[in-house]
């Protein structure tokens, strides 16, 4: 056992249980591979049932013990120190995230890591300022009763994370969970375990008591993910990932009637009306489609453009897409990294072939880019635009989660709303128009959890975040996070 994660040669990633870095009890490890060139960059200790058991035990003990007894002000001060710790070790977090994901260093510097720190500060400040309701009532015997609601932590929370925004999405759960007084066991994606391990060091340095923040590494089925979500002493499961995985986890949560909060997949539409300002719309839709190599749940994969603007929109999207610079994290000016893995590239390339088989016109891309031989082992892919497919095509219905979109024309507002809603998903929508009345009217009719007008991914952490239909269960963000991370206890006092 060691107190800090080893860093010589490639990295050895241990589980973090009860404040200590521990090897797998069963001695099982697996390789962490760089999506940039296919080189092994880490050896990761896989948590078995005994490791998960130890983590859950530690989390329960901390909840009943030091963390549960800590005054709120001290707890929140510690979380501010966690945010400070991320800032102090900013470059290490950036290095780790770049190594795991291959995404441009500038993205990690400007989005992933700052948001990781902000997720602790915002929720530490928020929980102090949320009132609960109180009512007085007359009792049948002429006395008075005061009812008030007390928020108490839900308990031991399992946090199961994806690989696309590893630190950002993990702390988006851990920040509010800890601010509300819970303890957590994090299961990072098997593809991206580095920043969760580094956060263990930051937690120790910030004075977070042992057992409050635990990390178990591994896969989903027959591994840490399943062992954790099936564990009967876990009180709630917050999960970000694919909708299909959400169904499996929901079945696990049904055992023992545990609560879930799910942020799942999307097949998000953008509606571009003929009065849109294309100088704003093009760069915004380029970002919403291609940022993070298209691996953003909020991203746009279906674009509908009012017919008078259709040809110009497609032409300008093609030009802008072909200007994107593909390359490794540190190459100057790079805007597009690789996909997360060879396996994911196979899936996305499968959709590239399917789109052609379904009869799509390939406007740009459609394959693997020409890159230097040193990058040949990486999961590189071309940003791709299609036109010409009907709404019923699988390319238009299934989440691809790659740097690609399909663009279709529409003729009426009603048609645009109908095609946008013709999907099993309901995460985000984007509307570009200069007509304010239309913006309100259309936004009110899109079946999504989040709708951006003349913008995309403007995030205020106080707002509700989540999806409808197959895109999620529940909302997190602002006071809505408290709905999952606390239980409301009503107290009735007769006097
Ligand atoms: P995934 O569902 O494959 O995996 C997510 C996590 O679940 C991983 O840690 C994985 O190991 C674990 N897991 C897999 N099977 C499990 C099981 N049976 N039991 C317990 N845990 C299990 O998702 P991914 O490929 O990592 O992420 C991409 C998906 O996440 C996309 O669908 C994307 O839309 C979605 N996503 C949604 C949001 C959102 O906020 N709605 C945000 C980011 C990503």
């Amino acid at each position: 056992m060691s107190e800090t994660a080893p860093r010589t040669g490639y990295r050895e990633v241990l589980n973090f249980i009860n404040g200590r870095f521990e090897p797998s009890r069963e001695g099982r490890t697996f390789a962490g591979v760089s999506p940039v060139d296919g080189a092994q960059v880490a050896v990761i200790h896989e948590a078995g049932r005994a490791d998960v058991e130890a983590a859950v035990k530690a989390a329960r003990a901390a909840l009943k013990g030091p963390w549960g007894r800590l005054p709120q002000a001290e707890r929140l001060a510690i979380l501010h120190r966690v945010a400070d710790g991320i800032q102090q070790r900013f470059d290490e977090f950036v290095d780790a995230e770049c190594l795991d994901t291959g995404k441009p260093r500038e993205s990690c510097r400007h989005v992933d890591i700052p948001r990781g720190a902000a997720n602790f500060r915002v929720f530490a400040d928020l929980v102090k300022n949320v009132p609960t309701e109180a009512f007085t009532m007359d009792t049948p015997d002429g006395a008075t009763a005061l009812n008030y609601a007390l928020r108490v932590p839900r308990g031991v929370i399992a946090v199961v994370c994806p690989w696309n925004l590893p630190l950002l999405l993990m702390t988006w759960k851990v920040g509010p969970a800890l601010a509300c007084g819970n303890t957590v066991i994090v299961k990072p994606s098997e593809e991206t375990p580095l920043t969760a391990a580094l956060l263990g060091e930051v937690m120790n340095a910030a004075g977070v008591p042992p057992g409050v923040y635990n990390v178990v590494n591994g896969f989903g089925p027959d591994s840490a993910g399943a062992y954790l979500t099936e564990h009967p002493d876990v009180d709630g499961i917050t999960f970000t990932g694919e909708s299909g995985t959400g169904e499996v986890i929901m079945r696990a949560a049904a055992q023992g009637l545990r609560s879930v909060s799910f942020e799942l997949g999307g097949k998000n539409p953008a509606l571009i009306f003929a009065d849109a300002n294309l100088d704003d719309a093009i760069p915004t839709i380029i970002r919403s489609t291609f940022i993070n190599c298209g691996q953003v749940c909020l991203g746009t994969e279906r674009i509908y453009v009012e017919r008078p603007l259709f040809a110009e929109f497609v032409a300008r999207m093609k030009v802008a897409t072909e200007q994107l610079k593909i390359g490794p994290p540190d190459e100057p000016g790079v805007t597009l990294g690789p996909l997360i893995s060879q396996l994911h590239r196979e899936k996305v390339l499968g959709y590239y072939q399917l789109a052609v088989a379904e009869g799509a016109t390939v406007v740009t891309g459609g394959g693997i880019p020409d890159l230097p031989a040193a990058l040949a082992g990486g999961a590189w892919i071309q940003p791709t635009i299609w036109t010409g497919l009907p709404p019923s095509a699988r390319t238009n219905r299934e989440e691809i989660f790659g740097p690609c979109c399909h663009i279709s024309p529409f003729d009426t507002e009603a048609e645009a709303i109908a095609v946008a809603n013709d999907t099993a998903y309901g995460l985000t929508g984007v509307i570009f128009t200069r007509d304010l009345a239309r913006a309100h009217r259309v936004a009110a009719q899109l079946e999504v959890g989040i709708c951006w007008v003349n913008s995309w991914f403007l995030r205020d952490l106080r707002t509700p975040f989540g999806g409808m239909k197959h895109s999620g269960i529940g909302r997190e963000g602002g006071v809505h996070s408290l709905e999952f991370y606390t239980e409301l206890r009503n107290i009735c006092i007769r006097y």
Side-chain angles (χ1 to χ4, degrees), residues 266-267 301 351 354 393-400 425:
K267 186 74 181 173
E301 289 193 3
Y351 278 102
L354 175 72
R394 280 180 56 203
T395 306
N396 271 328
R397 305 199 75 76
E398 297 174 15
E399 182 187 49
I400 301 173
Y425 293 104

Side-chain angles (χ1 to χ4, degrees), residues 159-165 169 172-173 187-191 218-230 239-246 248-249 252 262-266 268 295-298 340 344 347 399 401 425 427 465-467 471-472:
V159 183
V160 183
C161 307
W163 42 257
N164 59 331
L165 300 157
L169 288 173
W172 168 245
K173 312 295 195 155
K187 211 299 277 172
S189 167
E190 51 275 33
E191 308 282 2
F219 304 86
D222 300 317
S223 184
Y227 303 152
L228 178 61
T229 51
E230 289 164 4
F239 166 70
T240 308
E242 286 185 13
S243 303
T245 311
V248 176
I249 292 180
F262 283 172
E263 290 172 359
L264 308 175
N268 307 308
Q295 303 165 119
V296 180
C297 55
L298 312 172
I340 191 66
H344 189 50
K347 175 186 156 187
E399 182 187 49
F401 220 54
Y425 293 104
L427 191 52
F465 180 92
S471 290

Side-chain angles (χ1 to χ4, degrees), residues 183-430:
T183 57
V184 297
I185 302 129
V186 172
K187 211 299 277 172
S189 167
E190 51 275 33
E191 308 282 2
T192 54
L194 292 180
T195 45
L198 201 48
L199 190 62
E201 296 182 20
V202 168
M203 291 277 175
N204 279 352
V208 174
V212 172
Y213 171 83
N214 306 275
V215 183
V216 291
N217 289 297
F219 304 86
D222 300 317
S223 184
Y227 303 152
L228 178 61
T229 51
E230 289 164 4
H231 198 291
D233 206 26
V234 164
D235 299 303
I237 302 167
T238 180
F239 166 70
T240 308
E242 286 185 13
S243 303
T245 311
E247 289 181 349
V248 176
I249 292 180
M250 200 159 177
R251 269 181 235 124
Q255 304 287 329
L257 305 169
R258 279 90 48 70
S259 297
V260 296
S261 175
F262 283 172
E263 290 172 359
L264 308 175
K267 186 74 181 173
N268 307 308
L271 306 184
I272 317 294
F273 286 92
D275 64 350
N277 177 345
L278 275 197
D279 292 340
D280 285 343
I282 296 288
T284 303
I285 298 297
I286 287 286
R287 267 195 331 121
S288 74
T289 303
F290 298 119
I291 200 171
N292 213 36
C293 203
Q295 303 165 119
V296 180
C297 55
L298 312 172
T300 306
E301 289 193 3
R302 298 182 293 139
I303 303 170
Y304 302 100
V305 185
E306 202 166 356
R307 200 172 298 274
L309 219 56
F310 179 74
E312 183 186 355
F313 184 87
V314 173
R316 287 180 65 174
M317 281 289 288
K318 173 177 159 66
V319 170
T321 303
E322 289 170 358
Q323 283 167 356
L324 294 171
K325 184 167 176 197
I326 303 175
D330 289 315
E331 200 164 298
V334 72
T335 40
L336 217 64
L339 290 170
I340 191 66
S341 64
Q342 293 292 352
L343 195 67
H344 189 50
R345 183 168 73 163
E346 274 171 38
K347 175 186 156 187
V348 177
L349 281 175
Y351 278 102
Y352 282 19
Q353 285 154 12
L354 175 72
V356 173
E358 288 185 311
T361 301
V362 181
V363 175
T364 186
I368 295 173
D370 277 336
L371 287 171
L375 302 177
W380 302 96
I381 195 156
Q382 284 180 326
T384 296
I385 297 175
W386 303 288
T387 56
L389 291 177
S392 58
R394 280 180 56 203
T395 306
N396 271 328
R397 305 199 75 76
E398 297 174 15
E399 182 187 49
I400 301 173
F401 220 54
C404 54
C405 64
H406 180 273
I407 313 178
S408 319
F410 70 83
D411 291 303
T412 66
E413 184 180 303
E415 181 196 351
I417 294 167
V419 284
N421 288 340
D422 182 15
T423 169
Y425 293 104
L427 191 52
T428 70
V430 170

Side-chain angles (χ1 to χ4, degrees), residues 130-133 148-154 482-483 485-491:
V130 181
T132 56
E133 73 260 46
Y148 67 92
L150 196 64
R151 284 200 182 274
V152 296
R154 183 172 292 282
L482 273 54
E483 285 159 22
Y485 295 109
T486 63
E487 295 271 17
L488 270 178
R489 177 174 301 145
N490 190 71
I491 297 174

Side-chain angles (χ1 to χ4, degrees), residues 112-134:
D112 299 64
I113 310 307
R115 261 293 300 281
N119 285 335
F120 287 100
R121 288 196 207 290
V122 166
F123 288 102
D125 290 342
L126 183 120
V127 297
K128 286 185 297 201
N129 296 312
V130 181
T132 56
E133 73 260 46

